[in-house]
Amino acid sequence: MNRQYRDELDKVRLSAQSKQQLIDRLHAQSGPQTVKKYGRKRRAVVLAVAACVVLAATAGAAVLHDTLQHLWTNESQPVYEAYKTDLGRTQTADGWTVTLTDCVGSENMLYIGVELTVPEGADPNQPYRFGDYDMTFPDGSRATIGGGINDAPPYDGPDGDTLHFVWHMNVAPDSRAEPQSLQGKTVDLTIDSVYRLDWNAETDRYDEILMTDHVWKFEDVKLDYPTADTTYAVNKPVEYLGGTATLDEITVSPFGVKVSISGGSVLHHHAENRAKDGNCLMCALTVYDADGNVLYENPQWGGAGSQCDEDAGTTVIYHDYQTADWDKILIDPAKVAKVKVNNVEIPLK
């Protein structure tokens, strides 16, 4: 497993390794197709030939695969099994089948497994990407503030004509006082269009070949994934950004630790002292079990969804568990007995 699935390939932010892997998979294509340059803003595309869309939609009838399983390390699998839920929503249009397989989430992150089954005659070994995608509440308001659909890590599950993707979304709160959890909520999920990526040596970039401009909309999807997020009040001085601030609280989940810091050295720090003291969205974190063994350690990190308000003097830092090789880790919160943030130790048991 590597960092490839974290890169937003659909927006052409490709690492050299990812780019070479895609190049190796490309074959010569025949027949006229609708082409546009990859990486530009997506817009409506009118196909030159008329197509009759036949839509078949079922809820709960899909063959369920654990698409997300190998997003985490082998040691994390028991935790994944305990906190995942199956969705089993599938729709077919123009011969292309999109299936929402499984889902796991916490306060700040949501992961949904997505499968794409290609129609007869299409080569499943080609690199395919979705167009736009979104998650909204039934009233139309946005449910997330970012994310993407990227290749799922390689695994030994069913392949054939089916490709596997991970839809990851940031569910950051509007404010620390009003965290927004999606657990138990009902949402609408939209996936728009399917493209094939063809490498263009002349332009040194990928062309997007439109396969279908159909919009898949999965309505009333219930996000019934289990959660174990637990918040602990701390209210202790903490060394931070070359000064002292207040460590207000931490929230421990299977995916990581949220750290809330305020006052003192947080106030108006970023613009004035960043070059000297570093990024205000990072801190050191160590997680211990009851025997004092280190379950996780990262000397300086802040993950997706981290945010600060220098005028208010507040910072929220999300530490997502991961290895030095960017492999994701899940840790059973029941095993966490102590957390250390910079110089402050917080016993939990």
Side-chain angles (χ1 to χ4, degrees):
M1 198 187 313
N2 55 42
R3 194 177 178 179
Q4 178 185 0
Y5 64 87
R6 293 172 58 89
D7 296 331
E8 294 190 355
L9 295 180
D10 59 317
K11 295 182 180 177
V12 86
R13 289 199 279 266
L14 294 165
S15 66
Q17 182 182 19
S18 299
K19 183 175 177 179
Q20 186 59 51
Q21 288 175 338
L22 287 176
I23 292 173
D24 292 341
R25 294 169 58 190
L26 292 174
H27 295 275
Q29 301 297 315
S30 61
Q33 304 275 3
T34 301
V35 180
K36 68 174 183 173
K37 297 301 181 183
Y38 187 60
R40 295 180 182 175
K41 184 177 180 181
R42 294 169 173 83
R43 55 188 179 274
V45 179
V46 179
L47 294 175
V49 294
C52 178
V53 174
V54 178
L55 176 64
T58 63
V63 177
L64 298 178
H65 304 148
D66 290 338
T67 304
L68 297 177
Q69 181 177 2
H70 293 275
L71 186 58
W72 292 278
T73 60
N74 290 335
E75 294 76 12
S76 301
Q77 295 308 304
V79 185
Y80 160 77
E81 290 292 339
Y83 289 98
K84 64 111 173 181
T85 189
D86 295 324
L87 296 178
R89 298 286 296 270
T90 185
Q91 295 181 8
T92 299
D94 294 340
W96 297 82
T97 298
V98 174
T99 302
L100 308 180
T101 57
D102 51 339
C103 173
V104 293
S106 67
E107 178 185 298
N108 69 300
M109 289 299 296
L110 180 66
Y111 299 90
I112 293 178
V114 180
E115 291 185 343
L116 175 66
T117 302
V118 305
E120 184 177 357
D123 184 357
N125 296 309
Q126 294 297 314
Y128 295 100
R129 294 293 176 266
F130 296 108
D132 294 329
Y133 31 81
D134 199 8
M135 173 186 285
T136 59
F137 292 115
D139 65 2
S141 61
R142 295 291 303 277
T144 60
I145 59 167
I149 301 180
N150 306 126
D151 288 334
Y155 71 106
D156 297 328
D159 286 319
D161 293 332
T162 300
L163 294 85
H164 308 275
F165 299 87
V166 173
W167 188 350
H168 60 94
M169 288 158 274
N170 301 330
V171 193
D174 295 330
S175 68
R176 295 199 306 170
E178 298 180 1
Q180 174 177 275
S181 173
L182 294 179
Q183 196 277 333
K185 300 290 181 62
T186 298
V187 297
D188 296 336
L189 298 167
T190 302
I191 297 177
D192 185 346
S193 308
V194 174
Y195 294 88
R196 189 186 71 233
L197 303 186
D198 279 7
W199 179 248
N200 188 326
E202 294 183 1
T203 61
D204 195 34
R205 63 185 299 179
Y206 286 94
D207 291 338
E208 285 183 327
I209 312 301
L210 180 65
M211 299 287 100
T212 173
D213 62 352
H214 180 74
V215 178
W216 287 266
K217 187 168 184 178
F218 299 88
E219 297 181 323
D220 299 327
V221 178
K222 190 68 175 295
L223 301 177
D224 275 334
Y225 54 87
T227 60
D229 295 23
T230 304
T231 299
Y232 301 88
V234 182
N235 297 319
K236 292 183 178 180
V238 62
E239 295 176 358
Y240 187 62
L241 301 174
T244 302
T246 299
L247 177 57
D248 299 319
E249 63 184 27
I250 62 171
T251 299
V252 179
S253 82
F255 303 91
V257 177
K258 182 184 77 169
V259 178
S260 298
I261 300 174
S262 67
S265 51
V266 180
L267 284 162
H268 306 294
H269 172 277
H270 206 51
E272 300 174 6
N273 302 294
R274 180 177 183 179
K276 176 171 66 72
D277 296 327
N279 195 322
C280 72
L281 295 179
M282 293 186 178
C283 66
L285 180 77
T286 309
V287 176
Y288 303 87
D289 66 13
D291 297 323
N293 301 310
V294 174
L295 299 175
Y296 175 79
E297 185 175 27
N298 198 323
Q300 190 82 341
W301 179 247
S306 299
Q307 56 187 299
C308 68
D309 185 335
E310 293 186 273
D311 293 333
T314 60
T315 294
V316 175
I317 303 170
Y318 289 102
H319 260 272
D320 302 322
Y321 297 142
Q322 56 189 305
T323 70
D325 295 326
W326 296 90
D327 290 341
K328 289 180 174 293
I329 304 170
L330 294 173
I331 297 177
D332 185 352
K335 295 183 178 180
V336 178
K338 183 175 68 175
V339 174
K340 183 178 180 181
V341 177
N342 288 350
N343 64 311
V344 177
E345 293 187 351
I346 307 107
L348 307 184
K349 298 179 179 179

